C-alpha cells in the first residue's frame, strides 16, 4: 500500500494539477469533441473511487452515453449545458449534478466558455453504452434535446 499518496498535496494551477497527466478523455472509440481527462484520485485505502477532472473546450462535448454506475459531478470551471435523460439543463461553476444509473447524459460547452467538471465514480464500474439509432431518434423527438444535440 502506498502510504505516501494520502499525504500528497497536488497543487493546482490553471485547471491542471502538479504531477497529474492530462489525458485523452476516452480511448474506446466513443464519439466526443475536445475533452481532456485528469485523474486526481485513483482509489486508495478504504476509498475505492476515482475522482477525475474533465474539461470540455469551447464548442466541444462529452460522449452521449448511459451505464449502470452513478456519477456525481460538480462544475468546476465555466458554463455550458448538460443533457440528463430527456432534459437539458444550464450548468455553471459550483453546480452539482447527480447522474443515476441508466440515464443518458452529455455535457456541452455551448455557452462560449470551456466547461470543466469534477466527477466521482466507483473504481469498479460497468462500461459505457452509446445510444442505438432507435434511442437517438427517441431522444431527438424531444425538441429541447434535438436543439441541444445540434448546438
Ligand atoms: Mn458517464
Amino acid at each position: 500500500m502506498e502510504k505516501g499518496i494520502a499525504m500528497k498535496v497536488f497543487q493546482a494551477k490553471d485547471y491542471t494539477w502538479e504531477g497529474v497527466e492530462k489525458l485523452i478523455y476516452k480511448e474506446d472509440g466513443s464519439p466526443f469533441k475536445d475533452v481532456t481527462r485528469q485523474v486526481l484520485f485513483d482509489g486508495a485505502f478504504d476509498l475505492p473511487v476515482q475522482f477525475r477532472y474533465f474539461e470540455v473546450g469551447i464548442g466541444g462535448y462529452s460522449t452521449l452515453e448511459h451505464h449502470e454506475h452513478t456519477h456525481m459531478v460538480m462544475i468546476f470551471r465555466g458554463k455550458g449545458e448538460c443533457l440528463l435523460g430527456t432534459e437539458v439543463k444550464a450548468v455553471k461553476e459550483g453546480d452539482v449534478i447527480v447522474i443515476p444509473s441508466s440515464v443518458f447524459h452529455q455535457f456541452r460547452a455551448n455557452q462560449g466558455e470551456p466547461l470543466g467538471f469534477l466527477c466521482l465514480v466507483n473504481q469498479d464500474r460497468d462500461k459505457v453504452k452509446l445510444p442505438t439509432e432507435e434511442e437517438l431518434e427517441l431522444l431527438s423527438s424531444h425538441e429541447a434535446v434535438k436543439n441541444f444535440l445540434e448546438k
Side-chain angles (χ1 to χ4, degrees):
M1 189 181 287
E2 286 179 57
K3 290 237 175 213
I5 196 170
M7 300 292 291
K8 188 155 171 63
V9 173
F10 299 89
Q11 284 192 315
K13 194 185 174 202
D14 298 331
Y15 303 96
T16 62
W17 286 265
E18 180 195 12
V20 178
E21 229 184 314
K22 199 182 264 193
L23 304 165
I24 294 169
Y25 167 53
K26 274 186 168 79
E27 300 189 78
D28 62 359
S30 300
F32 66 89
K33 187 181 172 191
D34 195 7
V35 187
T36 58
R37 169 170 58 104
Q38 295 176 75
V39 180
L40 306 179
F41 181 81
D42 196 9
F45 312 113
D46 63 339
L47 194 57
V49 299
Q50 273 196 346
F51 192 51
R52 300 89 50 89
Y53 176 68
F54 296 100
E55 196 168 287
V56 185
I58 297 171
Y61 50 84
S62 66
T63 303
L64 174 59
E65 63 184 33
H66 72 102
H67 37 66
E68 307 231 317
H69 61 271
T70 301
H71 287 310
M72 186 278 188
V73 169
M74 183 183 229
I75 308 297
F76 194 65
R77 176 182 195 177
K79 59 182 179 179
E81 287 184 325
C82 84
L83 174 71
L84 264 186
T86 55
E87 289 184 29
V88 177
K89 304 275 191 194
V91 292
K92 60 172 194 319
E93 191 182 310
D95 289 349
V96 171
I97 301 123
V98 177
I99 305 169
S101 186
S102 303
V103 170
F104 276 111
H105 52 280
Q106 185 179 51
F107 288 87
R108 286 186 175 253
N110 57 10
Q111 301 295 310
E113 290 184 27
L115 181 64
F117 57 93
L118 296 162
C119 179
L120 184 66
V121 282
N122 278 327
Q123 272 186 313
D124 184 16
R125 58 185 184 273
D126 64 313
K127 278 193 182 151
V128 308
K129 296 187 192 84
L130 305 179
T132 62
E133 266 186 45
E134 216 172 43
E135 287 170 324
L136 201 55
E137 227 171 86
L138 198 59
L139 281 170
S140 297
S141 70
H142 299 262
E143 196 61 26
V145 175
K146 187 171 182 279
N147 292 338
F148 171 85
L149 293 174
E150 286 170 358
K151 243 190 256 176

